[in-house]
Amino acid sequence: MLVDQQWPEGPNADPDAARQRYNADMQASRRAVRNLFRSEMPVAHMGLAIAIIASVLVGAAWSPRTGVIIGGGFAALFVVALAVVLLAGSRGRNAVRAAYKFTFGWAEWI
């Protein structure tokens, strides 16, 4: 049984061309997301330094427990990122580097 499909381009639409456009759009979208989260190690080091300074300042200003909670949040984020990277197939130093850059690479936006 042949199903009559309704295409936005009309009855003379080319399904292969539509699939190629879809794939090209998906590749562009994924590339944009990768570029968004791409950072370098010096930027990640700066993010780590900012996180440590913020934890110490908050711990001194309010309570040490609050500073430890902030530091623990970053540590938990690193552990979760490392688990995801390991599940994705990276191993060893590359996995740690990717998780570190994900956790502290936000400093590029400051």
Side-chain angles (χ1 to χ4, degrees):
M1 175 179 209
L2 183 63
V3 177
D4 186 27
Q5 294 183 344
Q6 299 294 322
W7 295 91
E9 294 89 1
N12 297 325
D14 183 12
D16 292 330
R19 175 62 58 190
Q20 288 174 353
R21 282 193 312 274
Y22 172 79
N23 288 337
D25 289 344
M26 289 301 294
Q27 287 174 352
S29 175
R30 290 179 183 138
R31 188 178 312 114
V33 170
R34 278 194 308 271
N35 287 336
L36 178 66
F37 289 111
R38 183 170 290 154
S39 64
E40 301 297 326
M41 288 301 283
V43 173
H45 293 325
M46 187 171 69
L48 175 63
I50 292 170
I52 290 171
I53 291 169
S55 295
V56 169
L57 288 177
V58 168
W62 283 282
S63 70
R65 183 171 53 169
T66 307
V68 169
I69 289 171
I70 291 172
F74 280 108
L77 178 61
F78 176 77
V79 169
V80 169
L82 183 61
V84 168
V85 169
L86 288 172
L87 288 173
S90 292
R91 296 288 180 244
R93 185 171 276 213
N94 289 335
V96 173
R97 182 172 302 196
Y100 179 76
K101 286 176 17 177
F102 177 79
T103 304
F104 299 107
W106 50 263
E108 186 170 346
W109 300 328
I110 293 177

